[in-house]
């Protein structure tokens, strides 16, 4: 699939010129060399970011820049200079005052000889990660696009994912991804390795020609790919792995009838807890994740009861059909904190 290769190279590449908005290529003379990379180790919101640089050219001075995302840090505020030493190093840099309130920040290291590497981070306090988690099967995680239903759903094959990590799923336009992405939910990697999952495309990318999907965890693992927003491949609704002891089965959904424009309706899911742990009413909610927003009221609601293994619950959300004819998909989920326990997709037809 077009742009499939994007998933197999880091988002941070070194070279003499940028070859794309998300990845850059190495100069021809350096194609056989290792690729310099920046790993975000920790962040103190509004204060500093700690990084690890690897595979840098030895004993080379680099200018450190920071900027809002979307420009790969090019022309950003100069923070300091740093020397690459033996090619691998850790350093902590102060976030410029002009950026301390930004949600996401790009960091770029560039040398006078043309080498550069860049990354970005969320400006939230996070704990240090001493070393990246081991990856199942070795190598970096990557994702393949299996199928696309235009404006609705993308089915993805995850490969080489680390086990037991929760990934934030972000979807946005290819050209302006870092400025306009939407967080569509979270994904748990289970035993790691390879697995399939589906993501409903948010309204923000409706009729966008090229779309990027990216997954990243607090432990520093990430993968991304881009795809054409046209019907292609094989689209199947696949739930990702679930945390140990959590599992569900959707036994009924409603409505099944065709709706009129702006018709009131109840979106209903009957869900059975097929795992081994309680869904405690004190810690489990159901919330909107992605797709068409048709709910009349809030986006997150408390469970009214504890659901034990083997028991079922009926989840009802008051909704209003869109005012134009078409097919609309919304995805809600049963969640516990930042962990998704069960995805709740629903598709309606308006005529």
């Amino acid at each position: 699939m077009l742009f499939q290769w994007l998933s197999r190279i880091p988002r941070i590449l070194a070279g003499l010129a940028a070859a794309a908005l998300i990845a850059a290529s190495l100069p021809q003379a350096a194609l056989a060399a290792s690729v310099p990379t920046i790993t975000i180790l920790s962040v103190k919101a509004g204060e500093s970011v700690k990084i690890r640089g690897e595979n840098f050219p030895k004993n080379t001075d680099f200018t450190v820049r920071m900027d809002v995302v979307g420009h790969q840090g090019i022309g950003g505020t100069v923070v300091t200079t740093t020397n690459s030493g033996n090619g691998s190093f850790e350093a902590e840099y102060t976030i410029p005052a002009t950026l301390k309130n930004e949600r996401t920040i790009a960091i770029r290291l560039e040398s006078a000889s043309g080498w550069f590497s860049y990354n970005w981070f969320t400006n939230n306090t996070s704990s240090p990660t001493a070393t990246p988690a081991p990856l199942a099967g070795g190598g970096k995680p990557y994702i393949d696009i299996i199928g696309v239903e235009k404006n609705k759903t993308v089915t993805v094959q995850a490969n080489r994912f680390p086990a037991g990590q929760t990934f934030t799923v972000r979807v946005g336009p290819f050209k302006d991804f870092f400025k306009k992405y939407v967080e569509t939910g979270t994904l748990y990697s289970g035993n790691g390795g390879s697995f399939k999952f589906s993501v409903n495309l948010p309204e923000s990318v409706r009729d966008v020609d090229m779309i990027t999907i990216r997954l990243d965890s607090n432990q520093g693992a990430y993968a991304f790919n881009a795809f054409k927003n046209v019907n292609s491949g094989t689209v199947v609704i696949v739930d990702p792995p679930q945390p140990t002891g959590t599992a569900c089965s959707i036994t009924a959904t409603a409505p099944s009838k065709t709706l009129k424009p702006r018709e009131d309706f109840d979106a209903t899911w009957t869900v059975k807890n097929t795992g081994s742990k309680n869904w405690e009413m004190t810690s489990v909610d159901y919330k909107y994740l992605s797709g068409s927003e048709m709910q009349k009221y809030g986006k997150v609601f408390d469970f009214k009861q504890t659901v034990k293994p083997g028991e079922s619950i009926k989840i009802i959300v008051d909704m209003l059909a869109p005012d134009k004819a078409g097919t609309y998909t919304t995805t809600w989920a049963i969640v516990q904190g930042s962990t998704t326990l069960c995805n709740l997709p629903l598709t309606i037809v308006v005529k």
Side-chain angles (χ1 to χ4, degrees), residues 64 88-89 124 152 207 227 246 257 267 281 299 303 309 335:
V64 181
S88 296
F89 58 92
N124 292 327
K152 294 182 181 179
D207 295 327
F227 57 91
T246 64
K257 67 174 185 177
M281 63 179 293
K299 294 185 179 182
F303 259 38
V335 300

Side-chain angles (χ1 to χ4, degrees), residues 260-281:
K260 297 178 181 179
R262 297 194 63 78
E263 180 178 347
D264 282 299
F265 70 97
D266 287 338
T268 305
W269 298 267
T270 302
V271 188
K272 183 177 182 179
N273 181 352
T274 58
S276 59
K277 295 183 178 180
N278 290 347
W279 294 345
E280 300 288 347
M281 63 179 293

Side-chain angles (χ1 to χ4, degrees), residues 224-247:
F224 60 87
N225 205 337
F227 57 91
K228 276 190 171 182
N229 188 17
V230 296
N231 294 331
S232 61
T234 302
V235 175
V236 291
I237 303 302
V238 184
D239 283 332
Q242 304 296 336
T244 302
T246 64

Side-chain angles (χ1 to χ4, degrees), residues 206-324:
R206 176 171 289 275
D207 295 327
V208 172
D209 291 335
M210 287 292 300
I211 298 172
T212 294
I213 179 171
R214 176 189 168 94
L215 288 76
D216 48 75
S217 74
N218 288 335
Q219 289 76 27
Y222 67 89
F224 60 87
N225 205 337
F227 57 91
K228 276 190 171 182
N229 188 17
V230 296
N231 294 331
S232 61
T234 302
V235 175
V236 291
I237 303 302
V238 184
D239 283 332
Q242 304 296 336
T244 302
T246 64
C248 70
S249 174
I250 301 174
T251 57
T253 60
S256 57
K257 67 174 185 177
T258 299
L259 301 171
K260 297 178 181 179
R262 297 194 63 78
E263 180 178 347
D264 282 299
F265 70 97
D266 287 338
T268 305
W269 298 267
T270 302
V271 188
K272 183 177 182 179
N273 181 352
T274 58
S276 59
K277 295 183 178 180
N278 290 347
W279 294 345
E280 300 288 347
M281 63 179 293
T282 56
S283 60
V284 175
D285 306 307
Y286 58 99
K287 64 181 288 187
Y288 166 80
L289 279 190
S290 63
S292 300
E293 291 195 46
M294 298 178 282
Q295 66 273 15
K296 295 172 63 177
Y297 305 110
K299 294 185 179 182
V300 57
F301 300 94
D302 295 331
F303 259 38
K304 301 299 184 183
Q305 65 189 73
T306 294
V307 182
K308 298 178 180 179
E311 295 181 345
S312 295
I313 186 172
K314 180 176 286 188
I315 294 174
I316 301 175
V317 180
D318 291 330
M319 293 194 179
L320 182 67
D323 56 8
K324 294 182 180 179

Side-chain angles (χ1 to χ4, degrees), residues 98-177:
T98 55
L99 299 174
K100 67 179 183 179
N101 294 320
E102 293 291 335
R103 184 180 72 160
T104 48
I105 299 173
I107 181 170
R108 179 185 182 93
L109 275 67
E110 58 188 18
S111 72
S113 57
W115 289 99
F116 69 87
S117 185
Y118 66 93
N119 203 336
W120 67 277
F121 58 92
T122 302
N123 191 17
N124 292 327
T125 298
S126 61
S127 300
T129 303
T131 56
L135 305 178
K140 293 181 179 293
Y142 66 92
I143 55 176
D144 292 321
I145 307 301
I146 296 176
V148 178
E149 186 176 3
K150 183 179 179 179
N151 291 330
K152 294 182 181 179
T153 307
V154 59
T155 301
V156 180
Q157 171 79 48
N159 302 283
R160 296 178 179 172
F161 267 56
Q165 293 190 21
T166 298
F167 287 77
T168 299
V169 182
R170 310 173 199 267
V171 177
F174 176 73
K175 291 183 178 180
D176 300 304
F177 177 76

Side-chain angles (χ1 to χ4, degrees), residues 8-25:
R8 302 181 185 273
I9 60 176
R11 118 172 96 85
I12 309 146
L13 296 174
L16 296 173
L21 295 176
I22 295 179
S25 62

